[in-house]
Amino acid sequence: MSRLYFPKDFIWGSATAAYQIEGAYQEDGKGESIWDRFSHTPGKVANGDTGDVACDHYHRYKEDVELMKEIGLDSYRFSISWPRILPKGKGEINQQGLDFYRGLINELLKAGIKPVVTLYHWDLPQALQEEGGWANREIVKHFVNYAEILFNEFGDVVSQWITHNEPFVVAFNGHGSGDHAPGIKDQQVALQVAHNLLLSHGLAVKKFRELKLDNEIGITLNLISSYPISDNVEDNKAAKRMEDYINGWFLEPLFKGRYPERIVEFYGEKFNNLDIREDDMGLIKEEIDFLGINYYSRSLVRYNKDSKFLGIEGVKPQDSQYTAMDWEIYPKGLYDLLIKLNQEYTQKPLYITENGAAFDDKISEGGGVHDQDRIDYLKAHFQSAYKAIQEGVALKGYYVWSLMDNFEWAYGYSKRFGITYIDYENNQRRILKDSAYWYKNIIVNNSLEV
Ligand code: FCB
């Protein structure tokens, strides 16, 4: 046995998102969000689940901060619900919405837990969707206005801000495949949404700088590592295209001020039809303080000349292990990703803003939840992170997804990602899983036993 010690100031955290945990969907002046609308539309979410009650975190946030204290978290990443602050997305501010987050932040600060806020984790006010949502360029202005309200309100107590969570998923799941709210299926729209999201990010960062706030701002991307099935040149190129398609579409504008050429060619006319104005790419490139990374799995591909999707065919290795999401467990992908980001895109501080796994957890007869598979998953990924740090990557923190089981978007409550079990049948009772106690031990020792 040996111990891997993490850097002295390493931040150990956990993450959630407003719609996934809060509930109280119509309380205290909150407006409707696109996820309220989507989950209430029959057939959109597994089992007809909605976020109406979720983990009831809105009423139980004090108890949840107690859980965080028990686990010993250094930091907690959560998102703010735009329609709680601005029920119509713009115009009148809902004071009760601000009060809720003020209460949560105070509780965190009292507990010595650093709050990290995501401005947009997918719950757009429905009223803005009626005006075209992210597809309408006007939204950029509304997003910056919303961000400014929060910067002014909490700029002195929130030391790190994340503009967007996974713009790829917002654009392509929300507007391409349509399996997320608002459920639009139009590739052209998805591309415009991606651009408008990036632009809104850049302008929010700019606003943040103008306010001269003495803290940090960044963005969180869902990133993969992609591998070829063989060392053949065509398979290698296909793997690279896959990375450009998911990672590059956001990394290149953010760090290089352009969209990746090979993928631009692939989109062809759809790309040429986009409304991209002269200064946009410069604005998107506005300097950030850190990059947030959500890493869950890798992609394995082979070249297939008949595939209309960039000549790429996905491969599912039989001898691998998979989580309950059917995502391949591939910890080395995290290491490779961190090294690549560092070499090809940025030397800025990096944070793993999400990593974790869903498994079919059950309450044991003794009352505990023995999630050894989640412990194994996290342990292997922490080791990858450690290795990257040893090799000079400026990885500053790690947020486990998620603090508690929650509403997993189109999968509803069927997938459990938490290190805390939520007993939905018994009044949302919370039970710390074995993984939470295991994590507590790592945090206390700032090290991992291997
Ligand atoms: C990410 C989302 C997060 C959660 C995890 C499992 O894509 O950011 O809200 O659903 O996946």
Side-chain angles (χ1 to χ4, degrees):
M1 286 264 191
S2 66
R3 268 194 179 275
L4 309 180
Y5 285 90
F6 280 73
K8 190 164 59 52
D9 304 325
F10 198 74
I11 299 285
W12 295 103
S14 186
T16 62
Y19 189 73
Q20 295 182 275
I21 64 164
E22 284 180 3
Y25 80 116
Q26 282 184 315
E27 262 172 76
D28 294 342
K30 176 183 166 291
E32 188 188 13
S33 81
I34 56 172
W35 268 98
D36 290 317
R37 179 67 63 96
F38 191 74
S39 68
H40 288 148
T41 309
K44 297 297 184 192
V45 175
N47 307 313
D49 289 345
T50 73
D52 295 2
V53 179
C55 309
D56 197 29
H57 170 75
Y58 187 79
H59 297 114
R60 299 169 73 154
Y61 72 89
K62 289 194 176 160
E63 178 185 344
D64 291 336
V65 175
E66 285 300 318
L67 291 177
M68 298 178 215
K69 265 163 77 177
E70 168 67 28
I71 301 168
L73 298 184
D74 298 321
S75 176
Y76 173 54
R77 170 183 178 234
F78 62 97
S79 79
I80 290 188
S81 155
W82 185 344
R84 259 194 219 291
I85 307 300
L86 295 157
K88 296 273 175 243
K90 56 186 171 183
E92 209 170 320
I93 297 178
N94 175 34
Q95 185 58 43
Q96 288 170 292
L98 290 175
D99 292 346
F100 167 68
Y101 294 106
R102 172 70 65 191
L104 171 62
I105 291 169
N106 282 345
E107 213 58 31
L108 291 168
L109 295 174
K110 262 199 288 177
I113 298 167
K114 189 179 114 168
V116 172
V117 168
T118 308
L119 291 172
Y120 188 70
H121 202 131
W122 309 355
D123 43 358
L124 186 74
Q126 180 65 30
L128 291 182
Q129 189 59 46
E130 311 294 328
E131 296 175 10
W134 286 107
N136 178 351
R137 196 178 158 103
E138 286 289 297
I139 197 158
V140 171
K141 171 174 90 193
H142 302 316
F143 178 72
V144 176
N145 167 56
Y146 159 63
E148 189 178 1
I149 293 169
L150 296 175
F151 294 156
N152 283 327
E153 186 75 20
F154 301 121
D156 53 339
V157 281
V158 170
S159 50
Q160 275 183 323
W161 297 85
I162 293 167
T163 53
H164 285 288
N165 178 71
E166 304 190 348
F168 179 95
V169 175
V170 175
F172 297 99
N173 291 58
H175 305 80
S177 64
D179 57 334
H180 280 191
I184 292 167
K185 295 182 188 162
D186 183 328
Q187 200 70 9
Q188 178 79 67
V189 172
L191 284 172
Q192 189 64 54
V193 166
H195 183 73
N196 293 346
L197 286 162
L198 281 166
L199 186 60
S200 74
H201 155 81
L203 285 165
V205 175
K206 194 157 179 277
K207 175 59 72 186
F208 188 81
R209 302 292 181 221
E210 281 165 21
L211 297 174
K212 304 223 174 310
L213 293 169
D214 183 24
N215 44 39
E216 299 186 348
I217 190 160
I219 186 169
T220 279
L221 303 179
N222 52 301
L223 300 174
I224 56 155
S225 274
S226 181
Y227 301 84
I229 186 83
S230 78
D231 50 16
N232 146 333
V233 180
E234 285 306 330
D235 288 340
N236 263 290
K237 285 193 193 156
K240 171 79 177 97
R241 287 197 296 277
M242 187 68 186
E243 256 174 32
D244 282 350
Y245 172 74
I246 295 182
N247 301 1
W249 201 254
F250 296 87
L251 287 170
E252 288 214 17
L254 288 166
F255 294 108
K256 301 183 179 169
R258 55 163 199 247
Y259 284 104
E261 212 172 311
R262 179 64 189 80
I263 313 299
V264 166
E265 274 169 34
F266 164 67
Y267 286 127
E269 200 176 329
K270 289 201 185 87
F271 183 83
N272 296 332
N273 288 339
L274 292 178
D275 181 4
I276 301 180
R277 302 194 189 161
E278 210 184 321
D279 300 330
D280 288 4
M281 299 316 287
L283 291 166
I284 290 170
K285 226 177 102 200
E286 185 78 33
E287 195 173 341
I288 50 180
D289 299 309
F290 64 89
L291 176 68
I293 301 154
N294 293 354
Y295 176 84
Y296 288 95
S297 190
R298 69 154 167 181
S299 108
L300 183 65
V301 305
R302 74 159 58 90
Y303 171 62
N304 176 347
K305 67 175 177 4
D306 299 324
S307 159
K308 291 199 178 56
F309 172 59
L310 288 158
I312 297 173
E313 184 192 316
V315 181
K316 194 174 167 192
Q318 294 304 313
D319 49 354
S320 283
Q321 287 178 305
Y322 293 83
T323 69
M325 298 294 281
D326 209 18
W327 294 347
E328 188 193 358
I329 302 178
Y330 199 75
K332 180 174 179 291
L334 178 60
Y335 166 79
D336 290 338
L337 173 65
L338 290 168
I339 298 290
K340 195 173 282 188
L341 284 170
N342 203 239
Q343 285 173 352
E344 293 178 18
Y345 291 101
T346 182
Q347 259 100 57
K348 294 267 179 203
L350 304 177
Y351 288 84
I352 308 296
T353 40
E354 286 180 27
N355 172 248
F359 291 106
D360 295 326
D361 305 309
K362 301 267 178 302
I363 305 177
S364 73
E365 276 181 21
V369 179
H370 306 311
D371 58 340
Q372 187 59 40
D373 32 17
R374 183 170 293 100
I375 294 176
D376 294 342
Y377 178 99
L378 290 172
K379 184 171 178 183
H381 287 79
F382 288 178
Q383 275 179 271
S384 273
Y386 176 82
K387 193 162 169 233
I389 296 170
Q390 290 312 100
E391 290 178 28
V393 174
L395 181 70
K396 303 291 185 195
Y398 206 117
Y399 292 78
V400 170
W401 184 272
S402 176
L403 175 67
M404 55 185 119
D405 296 336
N406 59 46
F407 176 85
E408 179 48 36
W409 309 113
Y411 294 90
Y413 299 101
S414 66
K415 303 292 175 205
R416 295 180 177 273
F417 272 92
I419 53 174
T420 306
Y421 187 92
I422 300 286
D423 189 357
Y424 298 107
E425 260 126 59
N426 283 298
N427 189 32
Q428 270 71 2
R429 174 166 70 110
R430 278 95 165 116
I431 304 168
L432 292 183
K433 300 181 192 177
D434 287 357
S435 56
Y437 293 108
W438 172 84
Y439 193 31
K440 177 186 171 105
N441 195 268
I442 289 188
I443 300 173
V444 165
N445 295 298
N446 196 33
S447 62
L448 175 70
E449 200 166 87
V450 290

